[in-house]
Amino acid sequence: RPHLPPSPPLLPRARRPGKRASEARTGLWSHPRAHRGPQRAASRAMARHAGFSLEWLRRVAGEHGWEEVQCNTASRVIGFRRGEQRTNVYYTTRTVGTCLNHPRQGKTQLFRRGVSHDGLVAILDDPRVHTGKGYYRRQDPAAPEASAGVHADTRLWVRGYTEEQQDALLGMDPERLRCVALGYGGYMCVEDYDGEPSVSWDTVPRTLHNKLWGRQRELPGVDYVALSADSDNYFLRFTDGEALWQGPDSLTYALHERGCNVRLVVFAPDDGWFVQWADGATSWEGLPRTLHNKFWGRQRELPELEHLAVGNDGTWFARFCDGAWNYRLNGSCLDRAREIVRRGGDIVRMEFGEDSWLILYDEERA
């Protein structure tokens, strides 16, 4: 190996107080029109999308007997509960999700997009009301923590680390999604609004949170992020090509040797990692044995890797540029994947975090 001069670590390794951090490190930042805080972010988004005001939502919900149980200004969602019923309102996009027990389908979530003010009043009066804009997705009693969402022709199944994170991930718009990463008890999402990246996150490594929170609006926005499901390792790249990461020395050596113009960075358990550069070259260390065998000796004429995700319990998902994909899953995630395959769906991507997972798929072929 050629000798490389030693380089100081780009960011010190941070340790969190425990597996489930007691503090919620949540942020929202958009470039170049950065917001000074979650409340200002929400007000600007409402003006741009003509959404619901929080004051109006709370008043109308109270008039119909609903109790507020959640308000996350970073994810722009407010939640209400009435008995066994739960309603989440994404107030900037006017998307309404209701959780209830369907008489024939069992426990379900129904999402309605572009709901009017009168339509929301009708939903709060009777969550089962038919608006012509809803989509039912049944929740398996064996995995009640998983929820489904529908956005145009793209659907997703999500099991979040917390209920709040699950609601935030369900509120993503796949048509705007640049990238999403699940991590060690948290997540980070980058969406595209008229060519401007908007970043939201919850419970990410402290050094990563500090780097993004309060970042000046004239600085480049986030282009790509990867998180580890069992540690505070991460990789972050801005739109100008600047990259920051926290990980094992072998990853640092590989990135210094070949540069940070990467297509994929994936973290595996116990400081394992995988990198694919823009020219198709790959390098990895510490991948699960079944995945290592899949890549080792793979012929060059075969389609390149398009997407890869690795969980902390031996699970993985790999999709190739010809549309073919392979996976090794377990539990409720495996049940969801089998159901998608049975219905003829096409899994676009998966992400794995600590006790969390996400499946993005297309049912056009079903």
Side-chain angles (χ1 to χ4, degrees):
R1 288 185 175 180
H3 174 72
L4 291 176
S7 300
L10 296 178
L11 286 174
R13 182 180 296 273
R15 297 185 63 86
R16 293 196 285 168
K19 186 175 182 181
R20 295 178 182 265
S22 58
E23 57 185 304
R25 298 187 292 275
T26 305
L28 174 67
W29 169 70
S30 299
H31 174 79
R33 294 195 296 272
H35 307 307
R36 295 184 182 275
Q39 293 180 348
R40 185 174 178 184
S43 62
R44 287 189 176 183
M46 286 190 290
R48 184 169 64 251
H49 297 290
F52 303 121
S53 73
L54 289 175
E55 180 181 0
W56 180 83
L57 282 170
R58 288 172 172 139
R59 177 175 59 81
V60 173
E63 291 174 353
H64 289 79
W66 293 84
E67 177 187 1
E68 181 179 339
V69 294
Q70 173 198 6
C71 183
N72 189 330
T73 54
S75 302
R76 290 154 284 184
V77 59
I78 185 170
F80 302 95
R81 188 181 300 278
R82 186 176 67 182
E84 297 296 326
Q85 299 171 335
R86 169 75 181 256
T87 296
N88 297 321
V89 182
Y90 300 88
Y91 47 84
T92 61
T93 60
R94 293 185 288 117
T95 297
V96 181
T98 54
C99 308
L100 43 85
N101 287 318
H102 192 276
R104 293 188 301 272
Q105 300 177 20
K107 192 174 182 180
T108 62
Q109 279 207 22
L110 175 62
F111 279 83
R112 303 170 176 93
R113 300 187 66 187
V115 176
S116 66
H117 285 72
D118 291 339
L120 179 58
V121 171
I123 292 171
L124 292 175
D125 183 56
D126 180 10
R128 301 182 190 276
V129 68
H130 290 280
T131 64
K133 299 181 180 179
Y135 300 85
Y136 271 115
R137 282 298 174 268
R138 183 174 185 270
Q139 289 184 248
D140 192 328
E145 69 278 8
S147 295
V150 179
H151 300 264
D153 293 325
T154 305
R155 294 108 189 278
L156 65 155
W157 272 101
V158 176
R159 188 183 74 178
Y161 187 74
T162 65
E163 185 174 351
E164 290 77 13
Q165 291 181 13
Q166 183 162 303
D167 290 339
L169 292 168
L170 285 170
M172 296 186 310
D173 186 348
E175 296 180 0
R176 299 181 183 273
L177 188 64
R178 285 196 180 190
C179 67
V180 58
L182 304 183
Y184 187 33
Y187 75 93
M188 181 172 284
C189 175
V190 184
E191 295 179 276
D192 197 330
Y193 286 91
D194 299 325
E196 301 170 4
S198 175
V199 185
S200 59
W201 67 88
D202 186 16
T203 317
V204 298
R206 184 181 298 275
T207 49
L208 179 56
H209 169 85
N210 293 341
K211 183 68 179 179
L212 296 178
W213 184 252
R215 184 175 170 85
Q216 298 178 5
R217 66 184 68 185
E218 63 269 15
L219 295 177
V222 174
D223 180 54
Y224 180 80
V225 64
L227 300 173
S228 169
D230 74 335
S231 71
D232 283 344
N233 292 340
Y234 67 86
F235 177 90
L236 179 74
R237 186 181 63 210
F238 296 100
T239 54
D240 64 349
E242 177 192 2
L244 306 169
W245 65 89
Q246 182 168 283
D249 293 340
S250 55
L251 173 63
T252 297
Y253 179 87
L255 292 173
H256 278 305
E257 186 178 35
R258 294 191 57 94
C260 296
N261 186 20
V262 299
R263 187 183 301 166
L264 285 172
V265 175
V266 181
F267 291 99
D270 302 322
D271 277 346
W273 54 269
F274 176 95
V275 177
Q276 181 187 43
W277 282 269
D279 61 0
T282 59
S283 182
W284 67 87
E285 180 179 79
L287 292 182
R289 174 59 57 182
T290 53
L291 186 58
H292 170 87
N293 293 340
K294 187 75 177 176
F295 291 144
W296 185 256
R298 183 175 172 84
Q299 300 178 4
R300 293 184 177 180
E301 60 269 18
L302 293 177
E304 290 185 353
L305 183 70
E306 179 182 349
H307 175 71
L308 176 66
V310 180
N312 58 6
D313 54 358
T315 57
W316 55 267
F317 171 84
R319 179 183 172 95
F320 298 91
C321 291
D322 62 350
W325 36 268
N326 298 101
Y327 56 76
R328 184 182 180 90
L329 307 173
N330 56 40
S332 57
C333 185
L334 176 60
D335 295 338
R336 297 283 78 79
R338 285 174 172 172
E339 179 182 345
I340 294 169
V341 173
R342 179 180 59 81
R343 299 182 57 172
D346 181 24
I347 298 178
V348 179
R349 67 184 299 157
M350 287 189 184
E351 297 294 341
F352 304 106
E354 182 192 16
D355 297 329
S356 61
W357 51 262
L358 178 148
I359 304 177
L360 195 68
Y361 67 101
D362 192 342
E363 272 198 349
E364 285 185 336
R365 301 187 305 180

